[in-house]
């Protein structure tokens, strides 16, 4: 058994998405994002999707039990050698539900990877982002500025800040993140599953650390 059953944790702007992309390529792991998963089921009109749609249309949260069933289906279909789960769990209750459901299928989590970054770094990274209105090309006022301020290098269209990236919004997203995720970090730490990575480092360096950690985990499993 050398599955890599992983969940990803981390604040917005710490590079979780970038690392997920790399891990997907490095290890051939399917990426399971719960937002995408819900949209897919809704779009396909699957039984689970129709059930979820009823809650979403009423403005209610989709119950955990339904989300976990979607995740398990997806794992069953694509995750024979492991998976990268992003966006779930978001609470200790959900973490328990996931652990139980996995156990029923004879599997367990290998690790919870936390790509961490302090609030100051996150605010600087996100609030400096600019996007062109025409094609969505991305820039950063400090780290990847366009040749001419406020103008896209590739198509000359105007660069704007997305609402999600405004400092007030970023601060709010961070507060929500801390409130919800801090208990989860403790939860996985207590179970010896948490692996912490410094997301303020460059993407290559973080990727190197994660790969080394996963190689070690696989090795330990074989011993
Ligand atoms: Zn552009």
């Amino acid at each position: 058994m050398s599955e890599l059953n992983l969940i990803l944790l981390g604040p917005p702007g710490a590079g979780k998405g970038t690392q997920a992309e790399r891990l997907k390529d490095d290890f051939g792991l399917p990426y399971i994002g719960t937002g995408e998963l819900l949209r897919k089921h809704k779009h396909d009109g699957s039984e689970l999707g129709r059930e979820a749609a009823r809650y979403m249309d009423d403005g209610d949260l989709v119950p955990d039990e339904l989300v976990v069933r979607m995740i398990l289906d997806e794992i069953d279909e694509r995750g024979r050698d492991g998976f990268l789960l992003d966006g779930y769990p978001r609470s200790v209750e959900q973490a328990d539900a996931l652990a139980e459901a996995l156990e029923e299928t004879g599997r367990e989590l290998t690790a919870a990877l936390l790509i961490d970054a302090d609030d100051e770094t996150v605010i600087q990274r996100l609030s400096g982002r600019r996007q062109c209105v025409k094609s969505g090309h991305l820039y950063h006022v400090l780290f990847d500025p366009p040749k001419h301020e406020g103008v896209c290098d590739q198509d000359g269209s105007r660069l704007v800040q997305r609402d999600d990236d405004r400092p007030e919004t970023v601060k709010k997203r961070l507060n929500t993140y801390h409130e919800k995720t801090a208990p989860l970090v403790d939860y996985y730490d207590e179970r010896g599953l948490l692996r912490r990575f410094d997301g303020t480092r460059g993407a290559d360096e973080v990727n190197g650390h994660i790969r080394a950690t996963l190689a070690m985990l696989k090795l330990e499993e074989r011993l």
Side-chain angles (χ1 to χ4, degrees), residues 132 134-137 139 152 154-155 157:
C132 93
K134 196 173 170 196
S135 319
H137 297 124
Y139 298 86
C152 179
Q154 299 194 51
D155 52 35
S157 80

Side-chain angles (χ1 to χ4, degrees), residues 21-35:
E21 274 302 317
R22 301 262 187 114
L23 290 175
K24 216 167 76 178
D25 295 342
D26 293 343
F27 295 93
L29 295 173
Y31 172 84
I32 303 175
T34 45

Side-chain angles (χ1 to χ4, degrees), residues 66-83:
L66 208 54
V67 179
V68 170
R69 267 161 65 202
M70 285 183 188
I71 292 170
L72 286 182
D73 274 4
E74 200 72 8
I75 291 174
D76 201 36
E77 211 174 288
R78 303 195 289 145
R80 184 198 295 259
D81 299 324
F83 55 85

Side-chain angles (χ1 to χ4, degrees), residues 21-120:
E21 274 302 317
R22 301 262 187 114
L23 290 175
K24 216 167 76 178
D25 295 342
D26 293 343
F27 295 93
L29 295 173
Y31 172 84
I32 303 175
T34 45
E36 280 169 36
L37 197 57
L38 277 169
R39 280 192 295 276
K40 189 187 105 181
H41 275 276
K42 207 180 161 187
H43 178 263
D44 295 349
S46 70
E47 193 191 319
L48 289 174
R50 286 198 305 274
E51 225 175 299
R54 281 208 300 274
Y55 293 97
M56 287 155 98
D57 292 343
D58 289 343
D60 293 329
L61 286 174
V62 180
D64 286 353
E65 182 247 347
L66 208 54
V67 179
V68 170
R69 267 161 65 202
M70 285 183 188
I71 292 170
L72 286 182
D73 274 4
E74 200 72 8
I75 291 174
D76 201 36
E77 211 174 288
R78 303 195 289 145
R80 184 198 295 259
D81 299 324
F83 55 85
L84 271 173
L85 183 57
D86 190 10
Y88 197 97
R90 285 190 197 274
S91 67
V92 168
E93 292 73 28
Q94 292 181 348
D96 276 333
L98 178 68
E100 265 173 47
L102 281 174
E103 206 185 302
E104 276 169 27
T105 62
R107 303 175 73 149
E108 57 184 5
L109 277 185
T110 311
L113 310 179
L114 170 64
I115 323 285
D116 213 359
D118 56 280
D119 287 7
E120 207 180 313

Side-chain angles (χ1 to χ4, degrees), residues 10-17 115 117 121-123 125-126 129 173-174 199-200:
K16 200 163 52 119
I115 323 285
T121 303
V122 168
I123 291 165
R125 280 183 181 173
L126 295 186
R129 289 209 295 208
R173 287 166 67 195
L174 276 170
T200 66

